[in-house]
Amino acid sequence: MPKYFFFFFLVPIFCWSQDFSDEDYIFLKRHEHIKISLKDDTFDIVQNITKQAQFLTSKILLYANETIPYDDNFVQVRNIEAYTYLPETDQKIEVDYIETQQQFDNMVFYSDDKYKSFIFPAVKEGAETYLNYERVIVEPHFLGDFQFASYVPTKSAKISIEFPKTVDLGYTEFNTETIDLEFKKEETDSSFIYTWTANNTAGFEGEDDSEAIAYYLPHIIFYIKTYEYKNEKIGVSGTLDNLYKFYFSLIEKIDESNLDNVYDIAEEITKGIDSKRDKAKAIFNWVQDNIKYVAFSDGYGGFIPAGAGSTFETRYGDCKAMSVLLYEMLNHVDVEAYRTWIGSRNKPYSYFDLPSVYVDDHFITTTIIENDTIFLDATNSYVPFGMPTAFIQNKEALMGINKDNFKIIKVPIQNANKSVTNITSNMRLENGTLKVSEKRSLIGYDKVEFISNYTFRKDSKTDEEYLNTTLALGNNKTKYTNITKANFDNKDIPLVLEYDLDIDSYTRNIGNKIYINLNIDRSLSNSNVEIKDRKYSKKIDYQFEKHFTTNFEIPEGYKASYIPEDIFFEDSNYGFKISYEMHENVITQTKSMYIKTLSVKTDDFENWNHFIKSLLKAYKKSIILEHI
């Protein structure tokens, strides 16, 4: 019989009787139990999962669809029991068909990820659904996590984990201060049992432009620190040394054959180049231009990089394969390069707080040249040498130096002046139509974002249709002609877009006056945050600047009777300035704006909205022309 070792509340628990009657669907319980067994040095880990839900209305019956993901190599699924219970007739209706499918998306070349899918039968108002199954966790480094809240309210959320006393278990909680959580520790003769329980947790809803769900959702991540075998403690996870040892064991399995062609192309690319920086740049650009990025997930193949020789021959690879190719090519020409694990901005974790495989989801190459640390991520074909991809900014990276040594380094945030768009517009009126010749020059992430979206999202649209929907200049009658693009494939110089615009019905004529607004580009105009129901911060992909110079030629027979005053908003993280001046018959508007943060916190929303409100007010200002 188990005996209680200790029992306490992290904070006072919820009252069980919380009212969820205004909901359409709730979880009555989400319970999981993980049992870790150890025989000699082999783990047997089985996770039992139970979900019981109730349809309080018949409005959202799509919740009857259920999927269970797994991949066979790391997690296997067995003993599925699923049925619908109808309380009014005391009827139990079993799920009679469960389909197994391969899981793909448009970014995955090959994946061994699978899922079991089925539909609970006969659901209606008042119906309850029940699901129980087991997951066999094959790889002890992937012990898993538990989320105390879900997309709908949960009356009872509980996770328990039972493990031998010869195992040292670690866990880290995230965002649990937002819920009432009970923790209990029990002890038997040979094992410990840890249990966490949260009652009546509210449903979690994501928000537009917010950080990833893991930044807010209360959850816990488990990991095995060590286990005892033959009177020796064997490390698994829980320390950086253990984590790096596991990662390097995967690196040692890389196929290092057929490297002659890799070395030959590295020498050819760098022939006549003396500086290490220029060599690194040439090789990075070659990999970007010649190796197609495809995601790959196939058991350990999703963690063990493909060999550089294979990637060179096939000309495709995932982030690991592309990085290994870079690593081999760079080191061969005496540019010291290092394999590097890193988490994207979707991962809120630190290697120091959570030294486990859950911290990272990406693999890159790092080189250090003349004390300048350069992060090389060739999965984006358009990012220039020297800039990290935007989604790893401000993230910790685990840089492997050799078998026994590593270093935690941080990817710097790229300053706003590295991602700049300059727009020059020349305007005139012709028969009531605003004629515009415009030139846009883009560098940094502005350029990367435009080219990426143009390449992958333009589809069958014409250039005019695409620019009309992305730039949204003028009004819905704007027509684009004479569109040209320059430097699409040259990462070292700005992308230049040029085009002419005809904008009908843009000016307002009242009596002998013409009102015309020079702000045909209203960037950030839809960026106001709805504070009332907003709970989470606003995520910004990268810092940037935009600079506009607009020259308007006053038509013959008119004079400017009103020119708006200068207006500005200045904050350390964001701001704008708009000014006007007139020289002879040309009015010049100079407009600039900047964003110098990657996140707007909730306590800064009012100031952010004041910034957007001020910008919108400035956008409404028109010049007035009066007939002479």
Side-chain angles (χ1 to χ4, degrees), residues 53-58 85-88 123-129:
Q54 184 177 29
F55 288 84
L56 301 183
T57 73
S58 58
Y85 175 66
L86 304 178
E88 61 182 19
V123 295
K124 60 180 181 178
E125 183 176 341
E128 297 178 10
T129 59

Side-chain angles (χ1 to χ4, degrees), residues 309-421:
S310 172
T311 304
F312 177 81
E313 291 299 325
T314 61
R315 299 299 171 100
Y316 65 78
D318 63 3
C319 63
K320 299 178 296 300
M322 298 178 84
S323 295
V324 167
L325 180 60
L326 278 169
Y327 172 87
E328 292 291 352
M329 294 175 72
L330 290 168
N331 281 293
H332 181 70
V333 296
D334 299 321
V335 178
E336 295 80 8
Y338 307 94
R339 305 178 183 98
T340 305
W341 295 260
I342 191 168
S344 68
R345 287 183 63 195
N346 287 333
K347 296 274 191 175
Y349 314 118
S350 163
Y351 283 108
F352 298 105
D353 298 332
L354 182 69
S356 83
V357 296
Y358 294 97
V359 175
D360 47 59
D361 57 0
H362 197 41
F363 194 70
I364 62 174
T365 304
T366 303
T367 184
I368 302 175
I369 301 174
E370 298 174 350
N371 295 320
D372 184 13
T373 302
I374 304 171
F375 299 93
L376 303 175
D377 183 1
T379 60
N380 188 309
S381 300
Y382 313 111
V383 68
F385 176 81
M387 287 188 79
T389 40
F391 64 87
I392 61 172
Q393 292 179 95
N394 206 35
K395 294 296 297 181
E396 291 174 353
L398 173 59
M399 184 177 73
I401 298 172
N402 52 42
K403 181 175 181 179
D404 300 311
N405 296 284
F406 60 88
K407 187 176 182 181
I408 303 296
I409 54 179
K410 200 165 190 177
V411 178
I413 297 173
Q414 302 299 291
N415 292 333
N417 61 12
K418 290 189 175 182
S419 299
V420 180
T421 297

Side-chain angles (χ1 to χ4, degrees), residues 517-574:
N517 190 317
L518 302 187
N519 297 293
I520 61 172
D521 184 312
R522 301 192 175 194
S523 297
L524 298 177
S525 59
N526 295 318
S527 298
N528 187 72
V529 175
E530 295 294 334
I531 298 178
K532 181 180 177 181
D533 299 317
R534 183 87 183 202
K535 298 178 182 178
Y536 313 116
S537 62
K538 176 182 176 65
K539 176 185 176 183
I540 296 172
D541 291 334
Y542 58 87
Q543 300 182 13
F544 62 86
E545 296 178 4
K546 292 184 185 295
H547 303 286
F548 300 79
T549 301
T550 302
N551 302 304
F552 175 74
E553 180 182 339
I554 299 173
E556 186 175 351
Y558 284 84
K559 67 177 181 178
S561 61
Y562 174 77
I563 297 176
E565 296 180 355
D566 296 353
I567 186 170
F568 68 91
F569 182 99
E570 188 171 349
D571 182 89
S572 59
N573 289 327
Y574 39 80

